[in-house]
Amino acid sequence: MRVSVVRKNIKFLPDSRRVVARYFMNGQERTQQMVLRIMMLDEKQVLQTLEQTLREFARRHRNISAVFFRHCERIRPIIEGMQIDYEGMSLDRKMLIGSYCTMEYAIESAAIFNPSIVEDFDQTGLEAGEKRVIISFRATGEGHISSIVFRRAILDRDNNLHIMKIGNHIDQAEIEHKTLFNKERFLTKLYEMHTTDKYIAQIMQDLPEEFEFVVLKNMLVESLKDPLIREERKVALEEILWLANSFYDLQFKHDSDITERVIFPISDSESRGIEDARFVRFVDDNGSDRVMATYTAYNGHTILPKLISTEDFYSFRVMPLHGEGAQNKNLALFPRKIKGKYAMLARIDGVNNYIMYSDRVTQWNTPILLQKPKFNWELTQIGNCGSPLWTEEGWLVITHGVGTMRRYCIGASLFDLDDPSKEIGRLTEPLLSPLEDEREGYVPNVVYSCGAIIHNNSLILPYAVSDYCSTYAVVDMVELLDALKKSK
């Protein structure tokens, strides 16, 4: 039974004007040469060059001078290693050095896609039938580096989306790394990542059961300086450092609009991007709620599933996921516990849907096979398109399937509320397939979502169009649930 889908006439398009001031370091030797040349300038030349830079870029960024100071501080060890009195340098000279260690990066220049949507914490001041929402996107720029950006909107009683104005600047967050680690849990995650055992032992054997981040980092950095280091050992040590860098908190300024906050790759584990965040409004058994998302961190050769959590969209806590089930991509958290346990969807083998239960939101083991590819439009693989949605009839799971010519379609399934391993129904035909005008893009023939909500008894389904831009569709819940129940 084919379900009616109303595609809305709205598009979120890439915008190359949205830039972030990113740290730029062109290698130690070239940085030293650059610093020497700046040190040869007199104070008048320093001020003149700095004023010209600020004149051109201050309007494009909030407090760009603070960014310059911060980026200069990052190369302080290099400067002091050149026997230069860092404290004796003028503030203008430090700012100028920092400006040479800064570059603009257009975070959305290539694509804005794979959206998810959650209810805003603030639902005040709305009329009947309206809902304030936050939409997240995977934004991609030069080099296909992905980050997370946000938009705020209001859904009206007719399910039309009214997008709030986008802010003028983009801010990166302040970062604070976790300072203390449990050795046993840290080692377990390294083994799950298949890091070479002998190099793990060499580094970890002298550390206590509780060790400090800075101690491990200094050990690894020192070992990586060895000019004769073997490639296998270098990769292993980088993976250990990668994991240690993956626990951190983010804090955005309170004078920034949500559209101005970007979660940009910060740790080494994310150097090649933050992919496909599946945000969900999670309500705990005691009634407290927070927004959490699973996403995939990628550093160019290894992926690491991670969890991000926030209660206000200003402060975010980031941590890796552990366990045999925390593998591959495509993890999606249920919005509430089931029989006292957290529940998660996954696609650990890259082909099939799985479900897992856990007492800890970061620890996932014993995945249970949930769905296999069944219909011709999903015979390559099946996975989720975001967190399950609670309905009185069961858990609604929006799925994606890959068929011939690597065409991605969106489907739907219904599972038992008390035991989500029991399938109630599954659409035999796609809910959404790429239309002719949706086939062209960065990756052709793809429609894909990372999360939907239910509003006014309708499924609100944001989705990406061929990994280039995004839009959304509306599906009547009565018709959808009826089709799912009859599909058995």
Side-chain angles (χ1 to χ4, degrees):
M1 178 180 176
R2 194 78 183 194
V3 177
S4 303
V5 176
V6 178
R7 284 168 159 87
K8 291 292 187 174
N9 187 25
I10 186 171
K11 280 192 176 180
F12 298 89
L13 295 166
D15 187 349
S16 58
R17 295 171 298 179
R18 289 174 58 77
V19 294
V20 64
R22 181 184 179 190
Y23 175 65
F24 169 70
M25 203 277 202
N26 204 9
Q28 181 162 327
E29 184 177 343
R30 294 177 69 173
T31 299
Q32 289 172 334
Q33 293 171 356
M34 177 265 292
V35 170
L36 283 175
R37 287 189 281 268
I38 295 173
M39 294 304 297
M40 293 175 65
L41 301 176
D42 60 39
E43 287 298 325
K44 183 178 180 180
Q45 291 173 309
V46 166
L47 183 59
Q48 184 180 36
T49 307
L50 179 61
E51 285 183 341
Q52 181 183 14
T53 303
L54 291 173
R55 189 164 59 245
E56 292 185 18
F57 291 95
R59 295 189 308 275
R60 296 167 64 87
H61 304 274
R62 192 196 317 270
N63 200 0
I64 189 68
S65 57
V67 176
F68 291 163
F69 277 124
R70 189 163 62 245
H71 290 176
C72 181
E73 189 69 23
R74 289 186 65 167
I75 65 164
R76 179 172 182 166
I78 293 177
I79 296 172
E80 292 180 334
M82 298 166 64
Q83 307 306 310
I84 295 173
D85 178 13
Y86 188 85
E87 293 296 335
M89 291 167 54
S90 70
L91 296 179
D92 288 341
R93 196 175 296 270
K94 289 179 182 178
M95 266 205 294
L96 184 60
I97 290 174
S99 72
Y100 281 93
C101 295
T102 306
M103 62 174 285
E104 285 191 333
Y105 183 83
I107 59 173
E108 298 175 11
S109 59
I112 180 167
F113 61 119
N114 293 3
S116 71
I117 184 170
V118 293
E119 295 181 23
D120 199 338
F121 289 110
D122 179 14
Q123 294 295 324
T124 60
L126 299 177
E127 296 182 4
E130 292 184 334
K131 180 174 289 184
R132 189 173 288 112
V133 296
I134 294 173
I135 310 170
S136 68
F137 299 89
R138 176 181 171 186
T140 302
E142 176 192 358
H144 201 70
I145 297 175
S146 299
S147 55
I148 301 172
V149 296
F150 303 98
R151 301 288 189 271
R152 180 175 271 123
I154 293 176
L155 277 164
D156 66 21
R157 66 185 66 191
D158 298 316
N159 295 323
N160 295 311
L161 203 56
H162 301 270
I163 312 298
M164 301 294 102
K165 185 179 178 181
I166 299 173
N168 295 323
H169 303 99
I170 299 179
D171 290 343
Q172 293 188 73
E174 296 292 328
I175 181 172
E176 182 178 329
H177 279 98
K178 181 177 178 179
T179 57
L180 198 64
F181 289 94
N182 177 279
K183 184 175 180 178
E184 182 180 355
R185 288 203 292 266
F186 193 84
L187 283 169
T188 299
K189 187 60 189 177
L190 284 173
Y191 293 134
E192 289 169 4
M193 291 165 54
H194 306 292
T195 303
T196 307
D197 291 1
K198 62 181 178 181
Y199 300 121
I200 295 176
Q202 289 173 6
I203 289 293
M204 303 295 290
Q205 62 185 356
D206 296 327
L207 291 172
E209 291 308 306
E210 298 282 338
F211 63 88
E212 293 183 353
F213 168 79
V214 67
V215 173
L216 175 63
K217 183 176 181 179
N218 289 341
M219 290 171 58
L220 293 167
V221 170
E222 196 61 34
S223 297
L224 286 166
K225 287 181 181 178
D226 183 357
L228 302 178
I229 189 170
R230 293 177 56 192
E231 183 62 25
E232 183 186 39
R233 184 168 188 260
K234 179 173 180 288
V235 170
L237 297 187
E238 286 176 343
E239 287 183 357
I240 298 172
L241 182 59
W242 178 41
L243 178 60
N245 270 318
S246 295
F247 298 81
Y248 56 86
D249 290 337
L250 298 173
Q251 180 64 55
F252 287 96
K253 298 284 194 302
H254 278 78
D255 63 352
S256 67
D257 183 69
I258 193 168
T259 63
E260 298 177 316
R261 299 169 215 154
V262 56
I263 300 178
F264 195 78
I266 292 174
S267 69
D268 293 336
S269 67
E270 300 161 348
S271 60
R272 300 306 300 169
I274 297 172
E275 300 183 0
D276 301 347
R278 287 158 158 76
F279 281 89
V280 62
R281 182 83 171 265
F282 183 87
V283 181
D284 216 329
D285 290 344
N286 61 8
S288 64
D289 63 343
R290 52 188 160 149
V291 168
M292 293 194 281
T294 53
Y295 72 88
T296 304
Y298 181 55
N299 71 348
H301 57 84
T302 307
I303 64 172
L304 181 65
K306 299 181 77 171
L307 183 78
I308 186 166
S309 172
T310 182
E311 296 179 0
D312 55 13
F313 284 91
Y314 288 105
S315 302
F316 294 84
R317 173 148 290 180
V318 181
M319 62 202 85
L321 297 176
H322 305 272
E324 62 182 277
Q327 309 293 324
N328 218 305
K329 303 181 180 183
N330 217 233
L331 285 87
L333 187 68
F334 278 67
R336 63 182 68 176
K337 291 180 180 178
I338 298 173
K339 296 180 179 178
K341 292 183 178 292
Y342 295 100
M344 180 86 81
L345 296 176
R347 197 188 66 221
I348 62 170
D349 57 10
V351 177
N352 305 298
N353 259 336
Y354 291 79
I355 188 169
M356 302 176 287
Y357 302 95
S358 178
D359 293 320
R360 291 174 52 204
V361 74
T362 55
Q363 185 74 39
W364 297 96
N365 291 299
T366 321
I368 303 165
L369 181 63
L370 188 66
Q371 289 178 310
K372 294 181 178 180
K374 184 176 181 181
F375 305 112
N376 58 10
W377 50 276
E378 60 184 16
L379 293 183
T380 298
Q381 70 186 50
I382 183 172
N384 69 72
C385 271
S387 293
L389 300 168
W390 184 93
T391 76
E392 291 183 353
E393 304 290 343
W395 290 108
L396 174 63
V397 175
I398 308 302
T399 62
H400 71 265
V402 182
T404 60
M405 296 296 293
R406 198 174 175 265
R407 187 178 74 149
Y408 276 68
C409 295
I410 293 176
S413 300
L414 192 65
F415 297 90
D416 186 83
L417 286 176
D418 294 323
D419 184 1
S421 64
K422 295 179 180 178
E423 185 181 272
I424 296 172
R426 179 172 170 182
L427 294 186
T428 59
E429 296 184 62
L431 183 64
L432 206 68
S433 301
L435 297 180
E436 190 63 32
D437 63 353
E438 295 176 331
R439 295 182 58 191
E440 314 303 335
Y442 188 74
V443 180
N445 307 308
V446 173
V447 288
Y448 194 86
S449 178
C450 286
I453 62 170
I454 296 171
H455 174 62
N456 291 334
N457 208 24
S458 299
L459 175 70
I460 309 299
L461 178 62
Y463 66 95
V465 177
S466 293
D467 283 10
Y468 172 68
C469 65
S470 297
T471 183
Y472 81 106
V474 177
V475 182
D476 181 76
M477 283 298 297
V478 173
E479 183 183 352
L480 176 56
L481 290 173
D482 185 56
L484 284 165
K485 287 185 289 185
K486 289 178 177 178
S487 65
K488 276 292 187 181

